[in-house]
């Protein structure tokens, strides 16, 4: 998503919604895609011809109870945009956003690039609007594979967790060096969640887990494009990293891991980041179906592009229109 778009958990489950109102072992479970503003979703996730007043977030909130904001990774969210997005999803009372922290705090780690007080204020401007409305489910601190466990990185992470301690934090690390009891203890000490991820397991990549370190459980599925995940070929489009459609057989273990995470959480977010051509939306719907053990509402454009969704759709496809 390249274009604009209480640290406390709810004491009781939100109202049910068109997206399903998932509850597992007492935890509210929300499944949805990463981002919403992708040109390649036209005619796949969204109708080719959009009615007046159409907004992607409003449309998605009919089917999902969460979206992970990723524009916040590239630049801080403006407060006015955050306020607009709240209005866009207001029809779904269960809906909560999650949002990625600006990459300046997680990727630009050279001493000369140390984030400033102004950077902190810029990040908080949009996050505070969402949090104060009770619609910020989590802030994701996503670190790259190159962020390995060391004395220096642990120190940096500890300071970052303190810096944003007033938000519901979740940490994503991708290198297996972080899979230590001391790291998980650090997250628990700061009340931060751990992101369980599916990624191509190459070398020392972190393998699938079902770990919880706070009241917030988090799962992210990136796809399994082994051939493009670490590619630096300028001829390979960036979206090819996420051009992957999980099979139901591949999703089934993640449904079980989600149940395990839910058993130790109060609020769980499952985010599908394999976004190219709406594949993440397909897999999010399939995960909801697996977790519910039943059928779900499916957007018409998506079921036309992915016929396998017919098996989980809760109603017959709309009759084709002649005009």
């Amino acid at each position: 998503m390249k274009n604009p778009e209480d640290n406390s958990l709810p004491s009781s489950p939100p109202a049910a919604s068109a997206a399903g109102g998932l509850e597992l072992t007492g935890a509210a479970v929300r499944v949805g895609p990463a981002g919403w503003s992708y040109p390649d979703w036209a005619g796949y996730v969204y109708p080719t011809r959009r009615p007046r007043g159409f907004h992607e977030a409003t449309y998605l909130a009919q089917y999902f109870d969460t979206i992970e904001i990723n524009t916040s990774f590239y630049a801080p969210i403006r407060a006015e945009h955050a306020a607009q997005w709240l209005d866009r999803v207001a029809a779904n009372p269960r809906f909560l956003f999650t949002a990625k922290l600006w990459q300046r705090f997680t990727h630009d780690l050279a001493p000369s690039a140390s984030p400033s007080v102004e950077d902190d204020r810029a990040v908080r401007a949009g996050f505070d609007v969402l949090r104060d409305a009770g619609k910020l489910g989590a802030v994701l601190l996503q670190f790259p594979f190159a962020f390995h466990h060391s004395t220096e990185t642990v120190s940096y992470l500890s300071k970052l967790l303190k810096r944003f301690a007033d938000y519901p934090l979740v940490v994503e690390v991708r290198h297996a060096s972080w899979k230590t009891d001391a790291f998980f203890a650090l997250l628990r000490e700061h009340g931060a969640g751990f992101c369980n991820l599916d990624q191509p397991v190459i070398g020392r990549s972190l393998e699938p887990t079902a770990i919880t370190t706070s009241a917030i459980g988090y799962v992210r599925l990136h796809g399994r494009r082994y051939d493009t995940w670490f590619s630096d070929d300028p001829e390979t489009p960036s979206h090819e990293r996420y051009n992957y459609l999980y099979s139901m057989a591949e999703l089934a273990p993640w449904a079980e891991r989600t149940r395990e995470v839910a058993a130790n959480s109060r609020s769980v977010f499952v985010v599908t980041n394999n976004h190219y051509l709406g594949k993440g939306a397909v897999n999010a719907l399939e995960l909801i179906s697996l977790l519910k053990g039943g059928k779900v509402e499916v957007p018409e454009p998506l079921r036309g592009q992915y016929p396998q969704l017919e098996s989980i759709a809760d109603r017959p496809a709309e009759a084709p229109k002649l005009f």
Side-chain angles (χ1 to χ4, degrees):
M1 183 170 59
K2 307 294 186 184
N3 299 319
E5 348 179 269
D6 171 7
N7 198 17
S8 61
L9 294 165
S11 57
S12 59
S17 73
L22 268 173
E23 296 279 339
L24 296 175
T25 60
V29 179
R30 295 173 174 85
V31 183
W36 67 74
S37 184
Y38 301 107
D40 56 89
W41 280 22
Y44 280 79
V45 180
Y46 309 129
T48 303
R49 294 185 177 181
R50 304 182 183 188
R52 178 176 294 183
F54 179 92
H55 191 275
E56 296 94 332
T58 304
Y59 184 85
L60 291 177
Q62 298 175 73
Y63 306 97
F64 305 109
D65 287 335
T66 192
I67 304 171
E68 183 183 87
I69 301 170
N70 63 19
T71 190
S72 55
F73 178 76
Y74 301 100
I77 302 169
R78 293 171 59 180
E80 57 267 34
H81 290 154
Q84 291 168 8
W85 299 340
L86 290 173
D87 289 339
R88 298 296 189 181
V89 301
N92 180 348
R94 287 194 89 253
F95 191 94
L96 293 179
F97 287 105
T98 69
K100 291 162 68 174
L101 185 65
W102 188 15
Q103 64 183 337
R104 185 161 179 76
F105 291 88
T106 57
H107 285 60
D108 302 335
L109 302 183
S112 60
S114 179
S116 65
V117 173
E118 289 71 24
D119 293 332
D120 190 294
R121 289 173 181 159
V123 163
R124 290 176 174 279
F127 285 175
D128 284 355
V129 173
L130 299 177
R131 182 191 57 189
D132 293 348
K135 292 297 182 181
L136 182 61
V139 172
L140 180 71
L141 281 57
Q142 176 196 288
F143 291 94
F145 180 81
F147 189 71
H148 298 179
H149 184 282
S150 69
T151 302
E152 292 75 18
T153 55
V154 169
S155 175
Y156 179 83
L157 176 60
S158 298
K159 292 175 183 176
L160 196 62
L161 292 173
K162 292 176 182 176
R163 187 170 189 166
F164 292 106
D166 51 323
Y167 295 120
L169 302 179
V170 173
V171 176
E172 176 180 332
V173 289
R174 299 183 179 183
H175 194 267
S177 60
W178 288 96
K179 195 175 181 182
T180 68
D181 291 342
F183 169 58
F184 298 129
L186 175 69
L187 295 183
R188 292 187 180 98
E189 177 187 344
H190 290 279
F194 173 74
C195 179
N196 301 278
L197 72 158
D198 191 83
Q199 63 177 342
V201 179
I202 302 171
R204 296 211 64 199
S205 297
L206 193 66
E207 296 183 348
T209 54
I211 295 169
T212 54
T213 57
S214 79
I216 300 172
Y218 214 92
V219 172
R220 292 186 90 215
L221 307 185
H222 293 291
R224 298 178 182 175
R225 282 297 299 271
Y226 282 82
D227 57 333
T228 59
W229 189 242
F230 288 126
S231 176
D232 56 4
D233 182 357
E235 300 299 317
T236 302
S238 60
H239 66 247
E240 284 300 323
R241 295 187 71 202
Y242 307 103
N243 185 10
Y244 188 86
L245 183 68
Y246 289 90
S247 68
M248 288 290 270
E250 291 171 325
L251 291 176
W254 277 107
E256 289 306 311
R257 292 186 187 101
T258 299
R259 291 187 179 97
E260 185 175 344
V261 169
N264 296 289
S265 308
R266 290 176 56 197
S267 183
V268 180
F269 299 92
V270 182
V271 175
T272 50
N273 194 36
N274 52 325
H275 54 75
Y276 188 59
L277 295 179
K279 293 179 172 67
V282 173
N283 289 148
L285 291 167
E286 291 175 331
L287 270 170
I288 293 171
S289 178
L290 285 169
L291 292 168
K292 287 179 60 176
K295 296 184 180 294
V296 298
E297 188 173 355
V298 177
E300 287 299 318
L302 205 59
R303 72 195 297 170
Q305 296 289 348
Y306 297 95
Q308 62 266 44
L309 288 173
E310 292 299 332
S311 65
I312 65 167
D314 66 352
R315 67 188 68 179
E318 292 180 0
K321 298 178 181 178
L322 296 178
F323 303 98

